[in-house]
Coordinates of all heavy atoms in Angstrom, one line a residue:
P480 N -7.2 -32.7 -7.5 CA -7.2 -31.8 -8.6 C -5.8 -31.4 -9.2 O -5.7 -31.2 -10.4 CB -7.9 -30.5 -8.1 CG -7.9 -30.6 -6.6 CD -7.8 -32.1 -6.3
D483 N -4.4 -34.5 -11.0 CA -5.2 -34.6 -12.2 C -4.8 -33.5 -13.2 O -4.9 -33.8 -14.4 CB -6.7 -34.3 -11.9 CG -7.3 -35.4 -11.0 OD1 -6.5 -36.3 -10.5 OD2 -8.5 -35.4 -10.8
L599 N 10.5 -25.2 -3.1 CA 10.3 -23.9 -3.6 C 11.5 -23.0 -3.4 O 11.9 -22.2 -4.3 CB 9.1 -23.3 -3.0 CG 7.7 -23.9 -3.4 CD1 6.6 -23.3 -2.6 CD2 7.5 -23.7 -4.9
H630 N -6.4 -30.6 7.7 CA -7.1 -31.7 6.9 C -7.7 -32.7 7.8 O -8.3 -33.7 7.4 CB -6.1 -32.3 5.9 CG -5.7 -31.4 4.9 ND1 -4.4 -31.3 4.5 CD2 -6.4 -30.5 4.1 CE1 -4.3 -30.4 3.5 NE2 -5.5 -29.9 3.3
P642 N -14.6 -52.1 0.2 CA -14.1 -52.8 -1.0 C -14.8 -54.1 -1.2 O -15.1 -54.8 -0.2 CB -12.6 -52.9 -0.9 CG -12.2 -52.0 0.2 CD -13.4 -51.8 1.1
E643 N -15.1 -54.5 -2.5 CA -15.7 -55.8 -2.8 C -15.1 -56.9 -2.2 O -15.7 -57.9 -1.8 CB -15.6 -56.0 -4.3 CG -16.8 -55.7 -5.2 CD -16.4 -56.0 -6.6 OE1 -16.5 -57.1 -7.1 OE2 -15.9 -55.0 -7.3
E742 N -9.8 -42.5 6.5 CA -9.9 -41.1 6.8 C -8.5 -40.4 6.9 O -8.3 -39.4 6.4 CB -10.7 -40.8 8.1 CG -12.1 -40.9 8.0 CD -12.8 -40.7 9.4 OE1 -12.1 -40.2 10.3 OE2 -13.9 -41.3 9.5
Y744 N -5.5 -41.8 5.9 CA -4.8 -41.9 4.7 C -5.1 -40.8 3.7 O -4.3 -40.1 3.2 CB -5.0 -43.3 4.1 CG -4.3 -43.6 2.8 CD1 -3.1 -44.3 2.8 CD2 -4.8 -43.2 1.6 CE1 -2.4 -44.6 1.6 CE2 -4.2 -43.5 0.4 CZ -3.0 -44.2 0.4 OH -2.3 -44.5 -0.8
G766 N 7.2 -18.8 -15.3 CA 7.4 -19.1 -16.7 C 8.1 -20.3 -17.1 O 8.7 -20.5 -18.1
A768 N 6.7 -23.5 -16.8 CA 5.8 -24.7 -17.0 C 6.1 -25.4 -18.4 O 6.2 -26.6 -18.4 CB 4.4 -24.3 -16.9
M794 N 2.4 -59.2 -5.7 CA 2.3 -58.9 -7.2 C 0.8 -58.8 -7.6 O 0.5 -58.7 -8.8 CB 3.0 -60.0 -7.9 CG 3.2 -59.7 -9.4 SD 3.8 -61.2 -10.3 CE 3.6 -60.5 -12.0
D818 N -2.0 -46.8 -22.6 CA -2.4 -48.1 -22.0 C -1.3 -49.2 -22.0 O -1.5 -50.2 -21.4 CB -3.7 -48.6 -22.6 CG -4.8 -47.7 -22.5 OD1 -4.9 -47.0 -21.4 OD2 -5.7 -47.6 -23.4
P839 N 22.8 -45.4 -20.7 CA 23.8 -46.4 -20.7 C 23.2 -47.8 -21.2 O 22.1 -48.1 -21.0 CB 24.1 -46.5 -19.2 CG 23.8 -45.2 -18.6 CD 22.6 -44.7 -19.4
Y865 N 8.3 -59.4 -12.4 CA 8.3 -58.9 -11.1 C 9.0 -59.8 -10.1 O 9.0 -61.0 -10.3 CB 6.8 -58.8 -10.7 CG 6.5 -58.3 -9.3 CD1 6.4 -56.9 -9.0 CD2 6.5 -59.2 -8.2 CE1 6.2 -56.5 -7.7 CE2 6.3 -58.7 -6.9 CZ 6.2 -57.4 -6.7 OH 6.0 -56.9 -5.4

Side-chain angles (χ1 to χ4, degrees):
D483 292 9
L599 290 172
H630 295 132
E643 256 179 87
E742 278 177 25
Y744 180 96
M794 196 190 166
D818 298 326
Y865 178 87

